[in-house]
């Protein structure tokens, strides 16, 4: 009697607490490590030598991100589906605006940001990753009957993503381009794209990526520096060599929180792209494995929630949930691979952890939508109607 399905359904929680705690753990650890990694830079660069400059700004971004996530959770998945084409179009417009003189801000040769005064800089490509998930899921559901057809199923999506990719490469933002391509491909494949088309596309994309690297001198130099960073440790291999030194110094348990040497102007972008290297130095192998484990758990839960939604006949919700998992998993893997010297240096932050308002806000909204999918799944499994 006590194991009856009715009792199990009534005992089911409205959300997955383990998923939320994993997200909060990464956000909290990110806040601590951003502060640790940025103290020296903040003291040197802030107007009054304030060591907590980046900590306070990152905390502000977290408040905005969590508020936006709460608002996003209130939106039913069905409404997200109706809004997805318009959000995708808005994201494309922002990618055009960022390229305009006097609108977009150029930093180190890249024009990826729109300045927002005291709030910092807004990076449209971060929101575009989220909008790509919503749009690709909607497109795949609408075109489900044509997933075996090259012209009707795949080609329209390919042309749309080609246009978005062209805008991203004009910034240039090769990392965001790679992540969005991975998201779109994964959602099409999970939605039933013919495996022969998918395999052929992977080959074509591989050739395209090689061509983009070979035809771009600065990308080619990054690959050369990645292959042997010690051949030019003060030039092409500078970032990677110091990241590897940080990993080596950390050993198993780390040198201690706040005691990193590499963050003292040796390791560039220590509180953004190379935050994991500071974690490795201060918290050691154990700290890195904790971060990897949390990302793996969130990615696995995203796919599990998507699988459950698919079993309940909620195909759009399923693809959105799995798209969020692909985004966080792929971007996290690329950032970790770059920090560990497994991949060429690329300007991609570590989701949920690295300093930066646009990325944190987009990540938290995406996870709020994931939790919403899970919430609606649980309502249906309790015999209630999803809102």
């Amino acid at each position: 009697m006590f194991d009856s399905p009715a009792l199990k359904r009534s005992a089911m929680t409205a959300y997955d607490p383990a998923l939320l705690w994993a997200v909060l753990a990464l956000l909290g650890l990110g806040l601590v490590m951003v502060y640790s990694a940025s103290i020296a830079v903040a003291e040197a660069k802030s107007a009054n030598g304030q060591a907590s400059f980046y900590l306070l700004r990152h905390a502000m971004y977290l408040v905005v991100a969590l508020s936006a996530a709460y608002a996003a959770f209130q939106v039913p998945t069905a409404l997200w589906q109706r809004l997805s084409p318009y959000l995708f179009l808005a994201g494309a417009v922002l990618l055009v605006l960022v390229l305009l003189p006097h609108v977009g801000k150029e930093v180190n040769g890249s024009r990826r940001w729109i300045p927002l005064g005291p709030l910092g800089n807004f990076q449209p490509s971060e929101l575009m990753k989220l909008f790509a998930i919503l749009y690709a899921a909607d497109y795949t559901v609408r075109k489900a009957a044509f997933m075996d057809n090259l012209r009707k199923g795949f080609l329209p999506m390919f042309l749309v993503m080609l246009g978005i990719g062209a805008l991203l490469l004009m910034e240039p933002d090769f990392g965001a381009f790679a992540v969005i391509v991975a998201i779109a491909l994964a959602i099409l494949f999970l939605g039933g794209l013919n495996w022969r088309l998918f395999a052929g596309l992977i080959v074509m994309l591989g050739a395209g990526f090689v061509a983009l690297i070979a035809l771009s001198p600065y990308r080619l130099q990054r690959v050369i520096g990645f292959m042997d960073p010690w051949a030019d440790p003060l030039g092409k291999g500078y970032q990677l060599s110091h990241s590897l030194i940080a990993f080596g110094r950390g050993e198993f348990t780390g040198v201690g929180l706040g005691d990193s040497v590499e963050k003292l102007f040796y390791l560039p972008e220590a509180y953004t792209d190379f935050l994991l290297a500071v974690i490795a130095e201060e918290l050691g192998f154990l700290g890195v494995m904790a971060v990897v484990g949390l990302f793996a758990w969130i990615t696995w839960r995203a796919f599990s929630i998507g699988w459950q939604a698919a079993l309940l006949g909620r195909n759009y919700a399923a693809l959105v949930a799995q798209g969020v998992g692909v985004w966080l998993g792929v971007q996290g893997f690329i950032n970790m691979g770059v920090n560990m010297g497994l991949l060429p240096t690329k300007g991609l932050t570590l989701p949920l952890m690295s300093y930066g308002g646009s990325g944190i806000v987009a990540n938290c909204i995406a996870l709020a939508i994931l939790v919403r999918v899970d919430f609606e799944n649980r309502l249906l499994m309790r015999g209630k109607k999803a809102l």
Side-chain angles (χ1 to χ4, degrees):
M1 178 180 68
F2 294 103
D3 293 327
S4 68
L7 282 177
K8 287 182 178 179
R9 286 196 297 268
S10 64
M12 186 186 300
T13 58
Y15 60 91
D16 182 353
L19 172 62
L20 292 181
W21 279 115
V23 171
L24 291 174
L26 286 177
L27 290 173
L29 180 60
L31 180 65
V32 172
M33 296 310 303
V34 163
Y35 180 44
S36 176
S38 66
I39 290 176
V41 177
E43 289 179 339
K45 293 186 176 181
S46 62
N48 57 357
Q50 185 181 21
S52 59
F53 176 79
Y54 290 103
L55 168 69
L56 295 175
R57 291 182 72 86
H58 194 70
M60 177 187 72
Y61 295 148
L62 283 178
V63 171
V64 173
L66 292 173
S67 300
Y70 179 79
F73 175 77
Q74 309 306 316
V75 180
T77 309
L79 182 55
W80 282 115
Q81 184 173 7
R82 290 197 294 272
L83 292 174
S84 59
Y86 306 104
L87 293 173
F88 188 79
L89 180 61
V93 171
L94 288 172
L95 290 181
V96 173
L97 288 177
V98 79
L99 296 172
L100 299 179
H102 310 298
V103 177
K105 179 180 180 180
E106 185 173 334
V107 178
N108 296 329
S110 297
R111 189 181 292 273
R112 304 177 187 175
W113 300 271
I114 297 176
L116 299 178
L119 296 178
N121 299 317
F122 166 60
Q123 190 171 357
S125 60
E126 291 296 335
L127 273 183
M128 195 65 211
K129 296 169 188 174
L130 171 61
F131 296 160
I133 292 172
L134 300 174
Y135 177 76
D138 176 56
Y139 175 88
T140 304
V141 170
R142 286 188 286 107
K143 298 284 187 177
F146 302 108
M147 282 294 106
D148 283 334
N149 189 301
L150 175 64
R151 184 174 63 85
K152 293 182 179 180
F154 167 72
L155 192 58
M157 185 64 162
F158 175 77
L159 294 175
V160 169
M161 289 301 171
L162 190 64
I164 297 300
L167 292 173
L168 289 169
L169 291 176
M170 289 171 68
E171 295 184 3
D173 193 346
F174 188 76
F177 172 61
V179 171
I180 288 175
V181 166
I183 289 169
L185 278 179
I187 289 177
L188 285 172
F189 180 72
L190 292 168
L193 180 67
N194 182 283
W195 71 268
R196 292 185 180 85
L197 291 177
F198 182 76
L201 183 62
I202 292 296
V203 173
M204 291 173 57
L205 282 173
F209 279 127
V210 170
L212 284 171
I213 292 170
L215 296 174
S216 175
Y218 87 92
R219 291 194 191 108
L220 186 59
Q221 290 302 313
R222 282 187 170 184
V223 172
I224 293 172
F226 150 74
M227 294 175 68
D228 187 4
W230 307 110
D232 187 12
L234 299 179
K236 296 186 292 289
Y238 183 79
Q239 281 183 307
L240 180 54
S241 61
H242 280 281
S243 179
L244 294 176
I245 290 171
F247 271 84
R249 289 193 75 246
E251 298 185 344
F252 194 73
T253 58
V255 297
L257 184 62
D259 290 336
S260 166
V261 171
E262 287 300 316
K263 69 184 181 185
L264 303 177
F265 302 102
Y266 294 104
L267 180 63
E269 312 298 337
Y271 54 95
T272 55
D273 299 357
F274 283 88
L275 185 66
L276 188 70
V278 179
I279 294 173
E281 187 177 3
E282 295 190 350
L283 304 183
F285 176 79
L286 292 178
V288 172
M289 288 310 299
V291 172
V292 172
L294 288 169
F295 271 104
W297 170 257
I298 292 171
T299 303
W300 179 79
R301 284 301 300 143
F303 275 86
S304 298
I305 290 168
W307 176 74
Q308 186 65 61
L311 291 179
L312 294 169
R314 308 176 64 231
N315 294 329
Y316 175 76
L319 292 174
V320 167
Q322 291 169 344
V324 171
V326 170
W327 173 16
L328 297 179
V330 168
Q331 184 164 331
F333 174 80
I334 292 174
N335 178 273
M336 293 174 189
V338 167
N339 276 253
M340 297 178 189
L342 302 176
L343 295 171
T345 303
K346 195 74 230 77
L348 278 175
T349 57
L350 187 60
L352 298 171
M353 299 190 73
S354 292
Y355 175 82
S358 303
I360 291 289
V361 171
N363 295 158
C364 287
I365 292 174
L367 285 163
I369 296 173
L370 174 65
V371 174
R372 178 72 196 197
V373 172
D374 185 39
F375 173 72
E376 293 179 359
N377 286 348
R378 290 166 186 255
L379 283 179
L380 290 171
M381 291 167 68
R382 285 213 237 28
K384 299 180 180 180
K385 183 179 179 181
L387 302 176

